Amino acid sequence: MLKTSVGFAAAAALGSPAAAQTTGAPGDDRRARGLEALRAVGGGDFSQTLDPLSPDLSRLLIEDAYGDVMARPGLSQKTRELISVAVITVLGTARPALRFHIGGMLETGWSPREIVETLLHAVIYGGFPFAQDAVLLAREVFAERGITAGTGTGRPEGDDWTLGVQQLLMTGGDDAGAFARRVIDGSGPSPDLDRLTIEFAHGEIWNRPGLALKDRELATLAMVIAIGNLDSTVRFHLEACLRTGWTRAEITELLIQMTVYIGWPKALMAVGPALAVFAEVEKPGGLAAPSSAGEAIAGQRTQAETDEARFNRGVAAMGEISQASGEAVVNAFHDIAPDLGRYILEFSYGDVFSRPGLDLKSRELAAVAALTTRGTNADETPLKVHVEAALNTGATKEEVTEAILHMLPYAGFSRVQSAMALASQVFSQL
């Protein structure tokens, strides 16, 4: 009870004075506002949205979620749709809602390329299965509307290390500089994890030109809040949002909107970090300027190998693990996100699965266990792929079964039962 009380007290403090917003004068028609917001996103008549199940549930959706929250004036409807898609993508559990809001991004003025870039950005924070599933869903939405996303590459020009350090220093200041120096020194608990964070996450993905940096930051803040239990990461991206031009009032609006998608308890967890960041940056002097040592730090290390070398190593690993063609993986996304296929090969298989610290069989059993614990619709196809890959790399059916059963104490019976059913499908097909 104490934590809840503190959370609500912090929430009250968050909105004053600069971030205070109102939904309108008493007597405003919440239902009318909600229906207007819904029409802006999806078109059509939503007045009977959930009436067949429950008129009260329909009323709460229209009046509370849309009339009281999504119709608030503190953010444009366009920006709210970016937040919605970012959150739902990394949750990986609500395909109908994601489909609706991908359409909503189109309705509110985002280009198909910007939508795809938002979904690709989730590779860093939600993982490849969620991003892949979202991209395939976007393909369906675009096809229904006769839209072509375009197939041009969005990969940045330049060395991934240099680009990553520069991007981190621009949005993260001295903390980012300390992190980059830690990578150079190799002093962190996992130097390779730190290196991949700079080279792939911040060098490759963050520097893609298809989505503005300011929009990437707001989408990222929404993603890391939705994931939960990432206070230091939330603080980093709160400050980065301020550095890239978002205001305290706008960030507060994002936190209010998060309650619609992740609930009050989880959304309130971001209030403490937000208040701490606001208090720090509102001191005399405000935000510190980006580190002047950026070029020197960026120049202390260069990327050791080319993307093509990583790609070829990934193709070889995939051939050994899944007996699949690298060309087929790339072609699976060629009409909407060709870079996604290359990232799967370069990063997942070239950078991670090809590491020498574990044999391929152990890696595949670990992948099966990890996908079991998540248990979303987006993980179903990847789980079947990795069950088959585990068998290809020498695991027995009994070992795959044990890897899934071992998750019972951590994921619960329902997820394990679902994973076992999917594994059984693979066993019967083989």
Side-chain angles (χ1 to χ4, degrees):
M1 284 296 293
L2 178 60
K3 288 187 177 179
T4 302
S5 300
V6 171
F8 277 106
L14 185 66
S16 63
Q21 295 287 340
T22 62
T23 58
D28 271 7
D29 190 341
R30 299 164 65 226
R31 183 175 181 83
R33 285 200 311 273
L35 288 172
E36 183 180 353
L38 271 166
R39 280 193 295 270
V41 175
D45 180 12
F46 292 89
S47 59
Q48 310 297 320
T49 302
L50 299 173
D51 277 9
L53 174 64
S54 166
D56 283 344
L57 185 57
S58 184
R59 175 180 57 80
L60 290 170
L61 171 68
I62 294 169
E63 296 180 8
D64 291 8
Y66 278 86
D68 284 344
V69 178
M70 301 299 284
R72 288 173 61 85
L75 286 173
S76 69
Q77 200 68 55
K78 180 179 180 180
T79 299
R80 290 192 182 280
E81 284 307 296
L82 172 71
I83 294 168
S84 296
V85 167
V87 170
I88 299 169
T89 299
V90 296
L91 292 177
T93 55
R95 296 187 94 242
L98 182 55
R99 170 189 284 275
F100 179 77
H101 287 289
I102 288 172
M105 285 190 77
L106 290 170
E107 293 289 340
T108 54
W110 295 98
S111 71
R113 180 48 47 194
E114 288 173 316
I115 294 170
V116 171
E117 286 299 324
T118 303
L119 306 179
L120 280 176
H121 193 73
V123 162
I124 307 172
Y125 303 100
F128 276 92
F130 288 177
Q132 289 170 235
D133 190 60
V135 166
L136 295 176
L137 194 58
R139 173 194 279 160
E140 295 176 12
V141 175
F142 295 165
E144 290 168 0
R145 297 176 180 232
I147 292 173
T148 301
T151 58
T153 182
R155 304 186 71 165
E157 295 291 333
D159 173 72
D160 288 347
W161 166 263
T162 303
L163 291 172
V165 170
Q166 291 172 339
Q167 189 278 321
L168 270 170
L169 291 172
M170 184 181 356
T171 56
D174 289 340
D175 287 345
F179 177 73
R181 284 189 288 272
R182 187 178 89 179
V183 180
I184 294 169
D185 298 339
S187 57
S190 175
D192 283 346
L193 175 59
D194 292 345
R195 175 181 58 81
L196 290 171
T197 299
I198 289 182
E199 291 183 351
F200 180 72
H202 289 274
E204 179 72 56
I205 303 296
W206 271 89
N207 280 282
R208 290 179 60 85
L211 188 66
L213 176 62
K214 182 178 179 182
D215 294 325
R216 284 191 188 275
E217 268 302 345
L218 197 70
T220 301
L221 179 59
M223 290 178 184
V224 296
I225 291 173
I227 293 168
N229 298 315
L230 297 174
D231 282 7
S232 62
T233 307
V234 169
R235 288 190 60 160
F236 181 91
H237 288 290
L238 280 160
E239 184 174 325
C241 279
L242 294 169
R243 287 181 181 277
T244 53
W246 296 105
T247 66
R248 171 175 174 158
E250 289 170 325
I251 293 170
T252 301
E253 283 299 315
L254 177 145
L255 297 180
I256 293 170
Q257 184 174 334
M258 296 297 291
T259 64
V260 174
Y261 296 102
I262 63 174
W264 279 99
K266 205 170 185 181
L268 286 173
M269 292 300 294
V271 171
L275 286 171
V277 169
F278 293 155
E280 185 66 27
V281 302
E282 288 167 6
K283 290 178 181 178
L287 283 171
S291 174
S292 60
E295 292 301 325
I297 295 173
Q300 290 183 42
R301 187 185 182 285
T302 58
Q303 193 174 12
E305 59 182 344
T306 65
D307 289 339
E308 200 61 31
R310 296 163 60 225
F311 178 85
N312 291 335
R313 188 168 65 243
V315 168
M318 175 167 279
E320 184 176 353
I321 294 168
S322 300
Q323 300 170 8
S325 162
E327 183 180 1
V329 174
V330 174
N331 287 343
F333 304 97
H334 78 281
D335 60 331
I336 185 168
D339 291 335
L340 179 55
R342 293 192 65 86
Y343 289 150
I344 292 170
L345 290 163
E346 290 174 12
F347 180 73
S348 294
Y349 286 87
D351 284 337
V352 179
F353 266 85
S354 295
R355 292 175 59 81
L358 283 176
D359 59 72
L360 291 178
K361 172 184 163 181
S362 299
R363 289 188 182 279
E364 286 300 335
L365 290 172
V368 168
L371 291 164
T372 296
T373 62
R374 293 215 305 187
T376 72
N377 289 340
D379 293 312
E380 289 182 0
T381 296
L383 177 58
K384 291 165 75 172
V385 166
H386 286 286
V387 166
E388 183 172 348
L391 298 172
N392 290 340
T393 53
T396 64
K397 292 180 182 180
E398 290 74 17
E399 288 173 319
V400 173
T401 298
E402 284 303 318
I404 296 172
L405 286 175
H406 191 65
M407 295 302 104
L408 275 170
Y410 309 104
F413 277 80
S414 296
R415 288 192 179 99
V416 168
Q417 288 166 347
S418 177
M420 195 65 72
L422 293 169
S424 296
Q425 292 177 24
V426 177
F427 296 159
S428 64
Q429 291 166 1
L430 296 177

